Amino acid sequence: PRTDPAVIMLIAHDDPEGRGPACLLGRQEKWVDGMFSTLAGFVEPGETLEEAVAREVFEESAIRVADVRYQASQPWPFPSSLMLGFRASATSTDIAIDGRELEDARWFTPGEVRDFGEWGDAGPKDKRLPRKDSISRHLIDDWLRDVAGSG
């Protein structure tokens, strides 16, 4: 059966806004209110997975990346995709969203991410994390553990 590869990636920087380590998260208008997630996109014919990561991040946020590393994968039935998860380091920090795919994108520190609510919460939090069973959440949680372990 046909499977369309898609990349999903957590982009990190040591100090993008002078507040210490942060990760780049974005949101689409159609998502649950307040949900921010890692960036993602489909692999184009003829490009490597690493090239797809760099292209998608740049197209959606104008951030340039390096050191693209595979992390994990997850089948995604809509529309018959295989999500391939990566982490990469930002080599630029000024965000300019494309306006077509993303409604917002920002750098978030580990403390800010830990203060997010959960997907599906009805509570007062204005920002929410992706579902716990998603690869996006796995990438975010791994980054939070790694940042906590290095400090």
Side-chain angles (χ1 to χ4, degrees):
R2 178 181 171 153
T3 301
D4 297 317
V7 291
I8 186 163
M9 45 275 176
L10 184 126
I11 307 306
H13 191 279
D14 290 339
D15 197 15
E17 297 177 332
R19 302 179 298 142
C23 69
L24 177 67
L25 300 176
R27 69 166 277 103
Q28 293 182 2
E29 184 177 5
K30 65 182 178 182
W31 288 349
V32 172
D33 284 347
M35 190 181 85
F36 279 80
S37 184
T38 53
L39 304 186
F42 286 100
V43 178
E44 297 289 332
E47 76 182 340
T48 67
L49 299 173
E50 295 83 1
E51 289 168 341
V53 167
R55 177 185 51 76
E56 284 290 343
V57 171
F58 186 76
E59 285 177 2
E60 294 182 5
S61 67
I63 298 296
R64 296 203 180 274
V65 301
D67 193 25
V68 178
R69 303 169 311 282
Y70 173 80
Q71 297 287 116
S73 65
Q74 178 181 29
W76 201 254
F78 311 104
S80 302
S81 300
L82 175 63
M83 298 292 284
L84 301 152
F86 292 85
R87 191 181 302 180
S89 300
T91 59
S92 65
T93 59
D94 292 332
I95 299 167
I97 59 171
D98 71 352
R100 292 183 322 273
E101 294 187 48
L102 295 181
E103 171 184 72
D104 194 2
R106 302 182 212 171
W107 291 108
F108 292 99
T109 66
E112 290 169 330
V113 174
R114 286 186 194 100
D115 283 342
F116 281 23
E118 292 293 337
W119 185 90
D121 278 356
K125 301 279 185 168
D126 63 335
K127 293 179 186 66
R128 302 192 188 312
L129 290 168
R131 294 168 47 130
K132 288 184 179 183
D133 62 351
S134 71
I135 190 167
S136 179
R137 180 62 178 270
H138 173 76
L139 294 171
I140 293 167
D141 288 346
D142 279 356
W143 176 75
L144 287 172
R145 275 191 294 280
D146 289 350
V147 171
S150 67

